[in-house]
Amino acid sequence: MDRVYNFSAGPSQLPLPVLEQAQRDLVNYPGAGCSVMEMSHRSKPYQAIIDTAEKTLRRIMNIPDDYAVLFLQGGASLQFSMIPMNLARQGQTTAYAVTGQFAKKAWEEGKRWGNAVAVVNGKDTNFARIPEITPDMIPQDAAYLHITGNNTIFGTTYNTLPDTGNVPLVCDLSSTILGKEFDVSRFDLIYAGAQKNMGIAGLTVVIVKKDRLTDDLDPVIPTMLRYKVMADNGSMYNTPPCFAIYMAGLVFQWVEQEGGVKALEERNTKKAYALYDYLDQSQVFHPVADPKDRSIMNVTFTLPDDEQTAAFIKMAAGRGLTNIKGHRSVGGCRASIYNAMPMEGVQKLLQCMKDFEAGLRE
Ligand SMILES: *Cc1c(COP(=O)(O)O)cnc(C)c1O
């Protein structure tokens, strides 16, 4: 079987040059005499790997010096818990924009720790759009406003960041980090699971303003869940996810070689709008997300019924276009077109949609 165009939301397609580099290094990493998987995380070659990964990420995201970069485990989902525990006192007010399933999960975890208030809840519009947020809607004593930068399941995104007044912004960028430019200084904290646009599962990247790091936390908070401990130990308080960090480092280098995040954002916009332009005039396929909130990373669409949806997914799979079935909670289809998805893959999907529609007309 040839390599497919994999439209999975995550774990997702990786750039081929990254896989090939990993393959070359797999058995014997240059100068180490063993693989990255067998190396001590305290060894010189490994320190170089993690340092280079961090430096490259700092360059491509333009991360200011007053921010720490942490390489953690537990997925983006563990951040739902770590964020309130590290940035808010127990019982303190925190604010959440509930714009999708992951946003809701973050809010639920926030409620375990503090007075987590949903500033908006997109449930009434089936999460097809991002409700407007203005400073007067946010409790101004909140420790932060948590937003989900890109709603992976529904295919919506913040095309402009909300004005929060004096409340710091915390953002889940799992499905859009490195796919789109962000001004890191707008946020107190950014986090993302690596398996969508930065590499493989097992690594979560947290970018946090250093002045939010403190030892003065509730004693019940476990050592492993304290940002300050992780920052003070260079993400190596314990064994880090060594191989996942190495893979992310390769992806960061690839992003740089491709012209950086800005160049990829332009490419991603072209890919997404090739699909949206077709969806907007199709008689069979219908876009899900509100036009102003469309994601360039996850394009969601529906067909008139389940039978046609299944037939289309089957036809696409037959052409080597896989994982376009929508999330089980939304149905329909979803094409996740992260950085590693080339324009050719999108063109093939587009052709498949056109052929499917033409076939129905015959
Ligand atoms: C995938 C995803 C998550 C969950 O990530 P895990 O690493 O599986 O915990 C959280 N938020 C968003 C926006 C996601 O896309």
Side-chain angles (χ1 to χ4, degrees), residues 89 137 167 177 198 227 314:
R89 300 255 158 219
M137 297 162 73
V167 178
I177 195 163
M198 286 192 293
Y227 292 135
K314 194 165 169 223

Side-chain angles (χ1 to χ4, degrees), residues 6 27 30 48 87 101 146 154 162 182 196 198 227 231 242 249 260 283 301 318:
N6 179 5
V27 173
L87 304 189
Q101 207 148 298
H146 177 284
F154 300 93
F182 288 93
K196 277 143 193 171
M198 286 192 293
Y227 292 135
C242 300
Q283 303 299 306
F301 53 94

Side-chain angles (χ1 to χ4, degrees), residues 186-200:
R186 286 283 314 267
F187 306 90
D188 270 22
L189 187 147
I190 288 170
Y191 66 102
Q195 70 274 21
K196 277 143 193 171
N197 214 9
M198 286 192 293
I200 62 171

Side-chain angles (χ1 to χ4, degrees), residues 7 268 271-272 275 296-299 335-339 341 346:
F7 291 88
N268 291 333
K271 278 151 50 184
L275 293 174
I296 58 170
M297 302 273 90
N298 312 95
V299 177
S336 296
I337 48 173
Y338 303 120
N339 287 344
M341 176 60 67
V346 172

Side-chain angles (χ1 to χ4, degrees), residues 219-237:
V220 305
I221 299 172
T223 307
M224 280 292 291
L225 302 187
R226 292 167 176 248
Y227 292 135
K228 179 82 171 16
V229 170
M230 291 298 157
D232 288 348
N233 289 281
S235 300
M236 293 210 262
Y237 171 76

Side-chain angles (χ1 to χ4, degrees), residues 74-78 80 102 148 150-152 172 174-175 193 195-196 204:
S77 300
L78 186 59
F80 301 163
F102 291 116
T148 308
N150 187 76
N151 297 280
T152 321
D172 179 354
S174 292
S175 50
Q195 70 274 21
K196 277 143 193 171
T204 309

